[in-house]
């Protein structure tokens, strides 16, 4: 789900198939979602219900991702090498420094332990939060659509899971830079040692003739990468993965290939074999780029033995 679009996909239940029976991206009614949170629950629920009915999925097992803006995530370093005895209590102490737009008491919280290079290093976790009110709104929306929501997770976690095959093959000195290029705005996520460490919203890419805007976008990414490399002398290489509706544009691919030492590729879930396209993959409204990445992440979780 995004602020302006809803992506709907379906896969055969109880099998290891990666071929979607269908994939569809449809526009949401204007003002339905604002900053990642539902504002028109009935309109969204009715739209979902109609789509599920149209495709014969009223009794389907439903898993979903939240819009990007609904989720906040932070890297948390604990004061001891091991997992804290009372992480909730320690989070209360850290709360003022986390920079969250809401108190932790008003959020659902997930803590994911992260690997350490050495056992003597302080333990770290990925903190994922979402406002309780937003989650309750989505539960209500799926209820209005006539289905039971089995699982709801952040878009960022779905993307991270989808990218795992690429991240696990990187050399230890590599910095992976995920850049999502869309008409409404761009976004950057840095991964180090297979773990997401930084996320930043970026300006939208311009049209092919707007070379100055596109150069400025690449320069912003360069600045972020340069700063990160200055903080981590062990970074020896940079690999950039482009996703999104503009990721296949040759002019943008050429610009991102210019910084010295960068390896640049387009992340295509179809080409990488993470999803097999449906027979009607050429249908208008078929999702691509970032939408497919999140679908691939949900699918990987569903296919776990």
């Amino acid at each position: 789900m995004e602020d302006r679009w809803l992506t709907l996909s379906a896969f055969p239940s109880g099998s290891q198939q990666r071929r979607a029976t269908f994939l569809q991206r449809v526009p949401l009614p204007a003002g339905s979602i604002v900053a990642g949170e539902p504002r028109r629950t009935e309109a969204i629920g009715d739209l979902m219900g109609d789509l599920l009915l149209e495709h014969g999925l009223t009794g389907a097992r439903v898993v979903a991702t939240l819009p990007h803006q609904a989720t906040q995530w932070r890297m948390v370093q604990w004061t001891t090498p091991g997992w804290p005895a009372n992480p909730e209590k320690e989070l209360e102490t850290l709360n003022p420094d986390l920079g969250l737009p809401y108190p932790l008491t008003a959020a659902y919280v997930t803590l994911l332990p992260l690997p350490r290079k050495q056992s003597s290093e302080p333990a770290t976790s990925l903190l994922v939060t979402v406002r309780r009110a937003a989650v309750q709104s989505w539960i209500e929306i799926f209820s209005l659509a006539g289905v039971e929501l089995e699982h709801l997770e952040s878009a960022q976690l779905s993307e991270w899971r989808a990218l795992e095959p690429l991240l696990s093959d990187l050399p230890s000195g590599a910095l992976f830079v995920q850049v999502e290029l869309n008409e409404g705005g761009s976004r950057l996520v840095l991964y180090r040692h297979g773990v997401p460490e930084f996320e930043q919203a970026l300006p939208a890419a311009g049209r092919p003739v707007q070379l100055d805007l596109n150069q400025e976008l690449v320069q912003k990414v360069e600045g972020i990468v340069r700063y990160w490399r200055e903080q981590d002398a062990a970074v020896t290489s940079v690999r950039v993965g482009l996703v999104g509706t503009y990721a296949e544009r040759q002019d943008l691919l050429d610009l991102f290939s210019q910084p010295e030492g960068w390896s640049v590729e387009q992340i295509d879930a179809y080409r990488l074999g993470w999803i097999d396209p449906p027979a009607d993959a050429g249908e208008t409204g078929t999702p691509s780029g970032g939408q497919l990445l999140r679908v691939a992440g949900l699918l990987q979780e569903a296919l776990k033995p």
Side-chain angles (χ1 to χ4, degrees), residues 27-50:
L28 287 166
S32 296
I33 303 177
V34 177
E37 300 198 7
R39 292 291 184 268
R40 301 179 60 188
T41 54
E42 289 190 9
I44 303 173
D46 289 344
L47 174 61
M48 283 188 179
D50 290 344

Side-chain angles (χ1 to χ4, degrees), residues 277-296:
D280 59 351
E283 177 187 347
T284 301
T286 297
S288 62
Q291 297 91 30
L292 276 183
L293 195 61
R294 294 185 277 279
V295 172

